[in-house]
Amino acid sequence: MNTIGQSLNLTIFGESHGPVIGCVIDGLPAGESVDTEFIEKQMKRRAPGRFPWETARKEEDQFEILSGVLNGRTEGTPLAAVIFNRGQHSKDYDKTRFIMRPGHADYTGNIKYGGWEDSRGGGHFSGRLTAPLVFAGALAQSILAKQGIHISAHILQVGSVLDTSYDPMGMDPSVWNKLREKDFPVLSDEAGQAMKDAIAQAKRKKDSLGGAVECMAEGVPAGWGSPFFDSLESSLAHMMFSIPAVKGISFGDGFDFASMRGKDAMDPLAYQDGRVVTEANHNGGINGGISNGMPILFRTAFKPVASIGMPQQTIDISEHKNTVLTLEGRHDPCIVPRAAVVVETAAAFVLLDAALERKRDRL
Ligand SMILES: Cc1cc2nc3c(=O)[nH]c(=O)nc-3n(C[C@H](O)[C@H](O)[C@H](O)COP(=O)(O)O)c2cc1C
């Protein structure tokens, strides 16, 4: 449904062209300061309309907290927040109301909700619904930061252009802040420029590009995750697949494990300064669905978005006939640059939930 989490619940609601979108967060610990400046900063990184390669849609993402916060601190009661929808061009969608965008959720949503759904701008399936997710995740991220847990995501890939990967053993903390300040979060600015060029070219061709985001969480202690079904990998994957357009996730060496030998895939255990570490991190910091104290590392793959300006073969459900769709409206040729902060903050939400679950393990 539209609620996720074990000890910490997040419910998301709204549609792209309704008056508001928003969330309710239940289970937050009381007395935590709410760093609105940090939340705003993270939400700005997701909002479109800032760069030439992005959709011209302006989404201000201005939020209002309605409950659960008093004098800047969480009350422990449900926190409700709304983000206002402004500047929608609903008319853009009138002409294509019954023409299903292939690869989008128009057809499947219509089947599920029997035509009662608001499909303007993607409705509840719009990438815009990631705004309340970033709100909730950024709040979780600021709470975790005070516990020494740092989460960071960068654009790993756009089309066939690759950024430098994170070192699975951990990164210098200065990298996290630098990435967060960048408009285009990549480790190699040269790769970043090649990605921007590829996006601009896709836009000129009225096409779109996919890519990948790499995310790392450092400082997570050993012991988080609730196997069987709520293993840390399961919970992160559940959250990541909830982000529209995510089509894959892998942890540590991921699919490369399939062709490796045991001796090369090993993460030898050792004591180092009285602390248990692993001397490699092929497993991305998780064993048996439980964090092992090493950096948690995973990658998510995003598909090239469906709304492209080229003519597309599809169906008209009002007339039950095949047709060709040529889309107007304002769309992103590549959402990966905006999606990095969505992955980063969504991961933070899952990790704060796991932290709270951990408190229930033993009396
Ligand atoms: C931040 C963000 C922005 C998005 N913008 C678009 C867009 O402009 N056009 C589009 O076709 N899809 C966009 N999407 C993806 C669609 O919402 C998604 O493909 C659709 O809901 C179908 O879901 P699926 O791709 O996961 O199957 C966006 C996704 C995100 C995360």
Side-chain angles (χ1 to χ4, degrees):
M1 305 286 276
N2 294 284
T3 301
I4 193 165
Q6 303 299 314
S7 285
L8 183 65
N9 276 191
L10 170 66
T11 301
I12 279 181
F13 60 86
E15 295 82 29
S16 181
H17 288 215
V20 296
I21 50 175
C23 64
V24 177
I25 313 167
D26 201 2
L28 280 168
E32 295 292 334
S33 60
V34 176
D35 188 344
T36 49
E37 205 179 306
F38 177 72
I39 296 172
E40 268 167 22
K41 234 176 167 177
Q42 290 292 65
M43 290 185 68
K44 253 198 194 119
R45 295 177 64 205
R46 192 214 70 90
R50 293 174 303 156
F51 303 110
W53 61 82
E54 287 178 347
T55 166
R57 274 189 330 261
K58 279 260 177 270
E59 293 173 7
E60 292 297 336
D61 286 3
Q62 216 175 356
F63 64 83
E64 190 174 326
I65 296 173
L66 304 177
S67 71
V69 178
L70 187 65
N71 300 326
R73 288 189 182 262
T74 55
E75 297 175 53
T77 50
L79 188 161
V82 289
I83 298 154
F84 299 95
N85 287 334
R86 294 196 176 108
Q88 306 100 316
H89 287 195
S90 301
K91 280 262 170 284
D92 283 350
Y93 296 89
D94 285 354
K95 281 184 271 175
T96 51
R97 167 76 185 92
F98 299 108
I99 300 174
M100 306 286 100
R101 283 172 298 174
H104 212 291
D106 295 348
Y107 173 64
T108 50
N110 183 271
I111 293 295
K112 182 165 174 68
Y113 301 115
W116 294 100
E117 74 287 353
D118 177 357
S119 61
R120 294 167 305 167
H124 190 62
F125 299 95
S126 166
R128 176 136 183 82
L129 269 289
T130 56
L133 181 54
V134 171
F135 169 88
L139 173 58
Q141 193 175 9
S142 63
I143 293 172
L144 288 171
K146 281 181 269 163
Q147 308 288 322
I149 295 161
H150 297 283
I151 303 147
S152 176
H154 71 117
I155 308 165
L156 178 67
Q157 187 174 352
V158 165
S160 57
V161 186
L162 280 171
D163 189 22
T164 313
S165 299
Y166 281 152
D167 178 347
M169 296 301 284
M171 299 292 287
D172 189 295
S174 65
V175 173
W176 304 143
N177 292 335
K178 247 189 241 162
L179 271 175
R180 205 160 292 140
E181 295 306 322
K182 282 187 177 181
D183 288 338
F184 199 88
V186 280
L187 296 175
S188 153
D189 290 329
E190 201 182 320
Q193 189 52 51
M195 289 175 184
K196 287 180 198 173
D197 293 345
I199 296 171
Q201 194 183 31
K203 187 176 177 165
R204 277 196 300 277
K205 291 185 170 167
K206 298 189 171 184
D207 208 350
S208 61
L209 280 178
V213 171
E214 186 176 51
C215 184
M216 182 181 269
E218 286 203 76
V220 174
W224 291 9
S226 304
F228 212 77
F229 297 113
D230 298 313
S231 77
L232 207 48
E233 284 145 323
S234 316
S235 302
L236 282 165
H238 186 179
M239 177 62 97
M240 294 305 143
F241 279 123
S242 305
I243 300 172
V246 166
K247 290 294 171 187
I249 182 163
S250 67
F251 293 87
D253 285 2
F255 281 81
D256 290 344
F257 274 125
S259 58
M260 288 165 82
R261 291 177 185 266
K263 66 180 173 56
D264 301 320
M266 203 56 70
D267 293 334
L269 282 157
Y271 282 107
Q272 204 179 75
D273 305 324
R275 198 182 141 233
V276 175
V277 296
T278 63
E279 289 177 343
N281 189 15
H282 297 287
N283 286 277
I286 304 174
N287 298 121
I290 303 168
S291 60
N292 66 10
M294 296 300 289
I296 291 173
L297 183 67
F298 68 90
R299 294 169 174 184
T300 47
F302 283 81
K303 76 182 195 186
V305 289
S307 54
I308 57 174
M310 285 183 190
Q312 300 174 70
Q313 164 65 51
T314 189
I315 53 169
D316 180 331
I317 55 163
S318 67
E319 297 192 21
H320 299 275
K321 64 169 196 192
N322 293 333
T323 188
V324 172
L325 170 68
T326 307
L327 270 179
E328 290 164 25
R330 301 161 298 165
H331 307 282
D332 270 313
C334 181
I335 57 166
V336 181
R338 295 174 52 211
V341 69
V342 180
V343 168
E344 177 178 306
T345 48
F349 190 88
V350 172
L351 290 172
L352 182 59
D353 186 20
L356 296 168
E357 274 287 282
R358 173 66 175 146
K359 290 194 184 295
R360 292 168 26 144
D361 280 348
R362 277 172 295 177
L363 281 175

